[in-house]
Amino acid sequence: MYKKINYIVAVMILLTSATVKAQVTSQSPYSRYGLGNVKGLLLPQFRAMGGISTGVFKPSMYFNNINMQNPATYSGITSATVDMGLTGTLKTLKRDNASEGSFNATLNHVALAFPIKAGRTGLSFGLLPYTELGYENSNTGKLDNDTNSVTRLFSGEGGLTKAYMGIGQQFGDHFRVGVNVEYIFGNMVENRGLELQSIGSVNTKQQEKNSIGGIGFSYGAQYEIPLSLKSRITIGYSGSSPSSINSKRTFLVTRYLRQSTGEEGTAIDTPIFVENGSAKLKLPLVHNFGISIQKDNKWLIGADYRMGNWSKLSIDGVNNGLNDSWGASIGGQLTPDITSIGSYFNRVDYRLGFAYDKTYINVKDQDIKQMAVTFGLGLPLGYTRFAVSKLNFTTELGRRGTLTNGLVQENYINFHLGITLNDTWFKRFKFD
């Protein structure tokens, strides 16, 4: 038992360190807006079904999954559950007739759950990415009433992470509720530059860094409608509160000479330097609604609808000019025969889904939309009397943005790999 605990703690420290130190895990010009690209609180097994989760309780009655999107589901945890994973993104950016490719990979999540009272009360905690910021672009034009060419430079890196702890409780036979307490933290660094093309010209660069750390809350509820002994409909709701969290803001403006090599030279002066100025980041209210129908240990289909009040997002009292967002997902899972002995592939979970979102971004009067087809497998790894494990592999084929009005279109393939372990810990055995 102690070896398992030490192993889990070591992995959590490793993942925490990697998450904090890794700065650029995204290459997306649209991460320039708001807080960057927002990641859902979803493990690979749910992403494979298009992201449906709000109305999903237990796709398999024999196996526990951690569904932090709706903390009410923690009440169904019946054994100690550990989930760890990584993610990779292969992306192509297109604009007019030009294109550019990139690949990023990172450790993604670690989550644990335990039953307090098996099948009635459960506890979960873990660490996941919340937003990703990573972009670098430029454009060249003319200054007003001037013949000199000027290049405007934009770059950013960083992101926010969520560490959460939650509890779920079932009341009666069909109703359950839950809540997560979340610590949101991380750094967002953005740079803006203005460079004249002539050698020896004085150029300007400004850098803004927000170091964020604060508490937020999310919550959820589910109601179950039995159709028979082995089939049921589950209706769910989850949301996150419009929290106000702390930010330390550093703002720096420097002037420098452009070298003959074209590189940025040493700063010649710093006209503005504001360090660790206090600010508040106000997060929006978010709603998720979901429904699923399933035959236990056989199949599940469901749908989610989500909406976010991102037009209310503000940093240091300044509205970021974002729009409210909405999105929908449909998906499902099929397990041909979970008890099959003669065929391994009959015990595999086959998952498929589709997701569509109108994001909070509007550029040049164009709403930036995102859509993805998702699919994946849940591969059983082993089974003993007290432990069972599964490898979850998911692929997302998606597109964000448009080529209209000279905008950028992102085509991406996301790969998610996670391992889930169910084990019986802290249990006493009696011997005659």
Side-chain angles (χ1 to χ4, degrees), residues 22-23 35 130-133 157-161 185-189:
Q23 291 297 311
L35 300 179
Y130 176 43
T131 68
E132 292 181 336
L133 180 68
E157 63 178 21
L160 302 180
T161 299
F185 65 97
N187 296 313
M188 299 189 301
V189 181

Side-chain angles (χ1 to χ4, degrees), residues 115-180:
I116 297 175
K117 185 177 181 181
R120 305 295 295 182
T121 310
L123 175 72
S124 179
F125 56 93
L127 189 72
L128 299 96
Y130 176 43
T131 68
E132 292 181 336
L133 180 68
Y135 64 91
E136 185 174 359
N137 54 66
S138 64
N139 61 70
T140 301
K142 300 288 186 180
L143 289 174
D144 294 338
N145 301 320
D146 199 332
T147 59
N148 287 329
S149 295
V150 62
T151 300
R152 295 174 173 85
L153 308 170
F154 306 91
S155 66
E157 63 178 21
L160 302 180
T161 299
K162 275 189 178 182
Y164 78 93
M165 176 175 285
I167 189 169
Q169 174 67 50
Q170 180 155 325
F171 297 93
D173 294 329
H174 309 302
F175 181 65
R176 58 190 75 99
V177 297
V179 62
N180 285 327

Side-chain angles (χ1 to χ4, degrees), residues 239-316:
S240 62
S241 62
S243 305
S244 183
I245 60 179
N246 296 322
S247 174
K248 292 293 185 180
R249 180 174 177 265
T250 299
F251 186 73
L252 173 67
V253 176
T254 58
R255 296 195 301 167
Y256 61 93
L257 297 177
R258 189 172 184 230
Q259 299 177 341
S260 58
T261 59
E263 300 295 326
E264 178 182 325
T266 303
I268 57 176
D269 67 354
T270 304
I272 301 175
F273 180 48
V274 179
E275 185 176 18
N276 293 328
S278 296
K280 288 289 185 180
L281 170 63
K282 186 176 181 181
L283 297 176
L285 179 66
V286 176
H287 301 287
N288 302 282
F289 306 90
I291 186 171
S292 69
I293 181 171
Q294 73 184 75
K295 184 175 182 180
D296 294 347
N297 304 316
K298 189 69 175 180
W299 55 262
L300 175 145
I301 57 174
D304 270 27
Y305 178 80
R306 51 194 167 269
M307 53 193 298
N309 195 16
W310 287 96
S311 61
K312 301 299 183 182
L313 175 75
S314 64
I315 300 177
D316 198 20

Side-chain angles (χ1 to χ4, degrees), residues 227-243:
L227 300 178
S228 68
L229 289 177
K230 294 186 177 181
S231 60
R232 65 203 71 247
I233 294 174
T234 303
I235 301 171
Y237 166 79
S238 65
S240 62
S241 62
S243 305

